[in-house]
Amino acid sequence: MALGLEEAFGAAGEFGGGQRRLTAFLVLLQIYVACQSMLIVLVGAVPDYHIDQEGIPASRAELAKRIHFADNFTSIVTEWYLIEQEAYKVSLASSLFFAGLLIGNITFGPLSDKLGRKPVYISGSLTNLTFAVGIAVYALLGYCVREWRYLALVSNTPGIFFLLLSFMLPESPRWLYSQGKMAEAEDVLQYIALGNGKERLNLKLKPSTGALRKDESAPGILNLVKHPVLRWRTIILMYIWYACSFVYYGLTLNAGELRGNLYLNVALSGLVEVPAFPLCMFFIEKSWSGRRKTMTSFLVFAGLACIFTMVLPTNAGLLLSPTLLALCGKMMVSAAFNIVYIYTSELYPTVLRNAGLGVCSMSCRFGGILAPFVPSMKSLSPSVPFVVFGISGLSAGFLTLLLPETLNKPIAESIEDVQSPKYQVLKNEEAEQTG
């Protein structure tokens, strides 16, 4: 007897041992990804230094004789003397990493719909499931491995293991099914069943009815700007995503600039994100806060925490130190970053959800590209980077108030649903009748 895809998943045991192994693999992979994102914080750390005599050295050889670094660890700064006019190269290295993420966002997203999930995954990028833990692990790794070349080697070597292990992952049966590749989808489901300890199943999938006809084109990105409602919604969301990324990565990379122990600051910068997820999940499900008010509050609090650092004296004590406020701001913006994924998905109709998320995610990468350069603005004043982050957080928070609330509201299926003022009323009445 032919089965639907969900019935076949139930028979194969989708969330059995195979799913647990995949989850463990993703957890380890995200720790690795976090280490890559944070690599420049320790590899590019700038210890205290002083230069003998006044004036600018005429050559690098002369600078090498006159400069004295205070700490005993090495970095690309201490090896190639990336200070003064050369300091921008450290920020540029970090920006190039996020530029690579932008390129991947633009190219690999559409490819995953054409080639499948597995080939793109092997090349590409995943969501940050355990990013915070990875930051803390990287801080510990940097504390144990002080020579920057060895630290870079140790941090990058696991990538080879993950690449090789990725070839053992099966293709997504849902994608195969959506592409009409029934035989291959059935083979993968058999693989899942065997991995879950089940006997070989007699599976036969029903033909997919949800796929687009060959002469039918899916709504594209242009629909995000053609319709006024979606156009303004997209512009606001793009800025919010940009600000979340800008403030998040700015505060993360700025951990190396804070007073105190470098490795402890990096570890705390990651660990402070751990309570952010349950905190935001609690508030977004409450009727008195919802998605919009919760995200506005977190972004505004993150902005205020950054701005207040400029009025605190450096000797204010632990409870009122700029470092503590920066960590509080990091926790708040992390919570907002978690919410924006959910909120954005609910603001777009089903037919344009992937396109909307893709455009917003692309604008997010621009925030990551610019963020590494902001900490270098401390040369103007130590508080300038935090003021820049604070203004970005506040502006994004207030702009969120222009978006509609989505908690317990019907999700639009088509573009017409978003444009129709009667849609919300009709869907709410249907929900009340069925309830």
Side-chain angles (χ1 to χ4, degrees):
M1 182 178 67
L3 299 176
L5 184 63
E6 299 305 324
E7 296 172 303
F9 266 126
E14 179 183 10
F15 299 104
Q19 185 72 17
R20 288 192 293 271
R21 288 192 294 272
L22 178 60
T23 301
F25 174 75
L26 293 178
V27 166
L28 293 174
L29 180 62
Q30 290 314 303
I31 293 175
Y32 166 73
V33 173
C35 290
Q36 305 313 299
S37 302
M38 294 293 293
L39 189 65
I40 199 64
V41 176
L42 298 183
V43 168
V46 185
D48 293 334
Y49 65 88
H50 72 274
I51 302 176
D52 296 336
Q53 305 173 12
E54 295 182 357
I56 301 174
S59 65
R60 181 166 296 181
E62 183 182 349
L63 176 62
K65 296 177 182 178
R66 292 169 52 183
I67 191 170
H68 302 281
F69 290 103
D71 295 329
N72 60 356
F73 72 93
T74 63
S75 70
I76 58 175
V77 174
T78 63
E79 177 153 342
W80 292 314
Y81 309 107
L82 301 181
I83 59 173
E84 308 296 338
Q85 302 93 326
E86 301 290 312
Y88 76 93
K89 294 180 179 178
V90 179
S91 300
L92 180 61
S94 187
S95 289
L96 290 176
F97 172 84
F98 291 103
L101 293 182
L102 173 62
I103 295 171
N105 199 132
I106 295 172
T107 57
F108 293 139
L111 281 177
S112 69
D113 290 329
K114 295 182 179 296
L115 303 179
R117 270 55 175 174
K118 180 185 174 183
V120 176
Y121 158 73
I122 292 174
S123 306
S125 58
L126 294 171
T127 55
N128 301 322
L129 299 177
T130 51
F131 204 80
V133 178
I135 294 175
V137 170
Y138 177 67
L140 178 62
L141 193 62
Y143 180 79
C144 298
V145 183
R146 298 299 180 97
E147 210 286 322
W148 75 268
R149 279 192 172 85
Y150 293 143
L151 177 60
L153 180 64
V154 172
S155 299
N156 284 283
T157 300
I160 301 173
F161 166 75
F162 288 119
L163 177 63
L164 296 175
L165 199 59
S166 298
F167 287 100
M168 299 174 61
L169 294 177
E171 182 52 88
S172 165
R174 295 181 185 277
W175 179 82
L176 292 170
Y177 184 73
S178 70
Q179 300 298 308
K181 300 180 179 181
M182 302 300 173
E184 295 179 42
E186 290 166 5
D187 290 340
V188 175
L189 288 170
Q190 291 285 3
Y191 173 83
I192 293 174
L194 293 174
N196 291 332
K198 294 181 176 289
E199 296 181 358
R200 186 169 182 83
L201 303 174
N202 185 20
L203 281 177
K204 183 68 177 177
L205 291 172
K206 296 177 181 178
S208 174
T209 58
L212 293 170
R213 298 191 303 269
K214 291 184 178 179
D215 60 343
E216 183 181 5
S217 60
I221 292 178
L222 288 179
N223 286 280
L224 298 176
V225 295
K226 277 172 46 177
H227 306 281
V229 175
L230 291 175
R231 183 189 310 136
W232 286 110
R233 192 171 292 186
T234 300
I235 292 173
I236 293 172
L237 285 170
M238 286 179 68
Y239 180 77
I240 293 172
W241 277 70
Y242 158 81
C244 284
S245 175
F246 181 67
V247 178
Y248 174 86
Y249 287 111
L251 291 176
T252 300
L253 298 174
N254 193 64
E257 307 289 337
L258 297 174
R259 290 179 176 271
N261 185 278
L262 172 64
Y263 304 99
L264 180 60
N265 287 340
V266 172
L268 290 176
S269 177
L271 293 176
V272 77
E273 295 183 42
V274 175
F277 183 77
L279 196 64
C280 70
M281 289 297 106
F282 172 79
F283 284 108
I284 64 173
E285 296 299 330
K286 301 299 180 182
S287 59
W288 45 267
S289 55
R291 274 72 158 143
R292 184 178 63 171
K293 291 180 181 178
T294 302
M295 195 163 78
T296 295
S297 300
F298 280 130
L299 285 171
V300 169
F301 285 144
L304 291 175
C306 292
I307 289 179
F308 281 159
T309 59
M310 65 182 296
V311 299
L312 291 178
T314 55
N315 58 350
L318 180 62
L319 294 179
L320 292 176
S321 67
T323 300
L324 183 62
L325 278 179
L327 291 175
C328 289
K330 175 73 182 300
M331 182 177 69
M332 295 298 170
V333 77
S334 298
F337 221 156
N338 286 324
I339 297 170
V340 76
Y341 283 92
I342 301 172
Y343 195 29
T344 302
S345 298
E346 296 175 344
L347 284 170
Y348 282 109
T350 301
V351 293
L352 282 175
R353 189 161 296 126
N354 285 341
L357 284 169
V359 169
C360 291
S361 183
M362 185 174 64
S363 66
C364 164
R365 300 309 172 197
F366 284 106
I369 291 172
L370 293 177
F373 288 98
V374 178
S376 63
M377 297 173 68
K378 68 174 183 175
S379 59
L380 303 175
S381 171
S383 61
V384 169
F386 292 105
V387 173
V388 174
F389 296 141
I391 293 174
S392 300
L394 288 172
S395 58
F398 291 128
L399 277 176
T400 304
L401 294 174
L402 300 178
L403 298 172
E405 179 56 68
T406 59
L407 177 64
N408 298 326
K409 299 293 177 63
I411 302 297
E413 299 293 336
S414 65
I415 299 174
E416 290 72 22
D417 291 340
V418 177
Q419 295 178 308
S420 173
K422 298 180 180 179
Y423 173 73
Q424 299 286 339
V425 177
L426 292 173
K427 294 297 288 186
N428 282 329
E429 289 178 354
E430 291 177 9
E432 291 176 1
Q433 292 174 359
T434 55

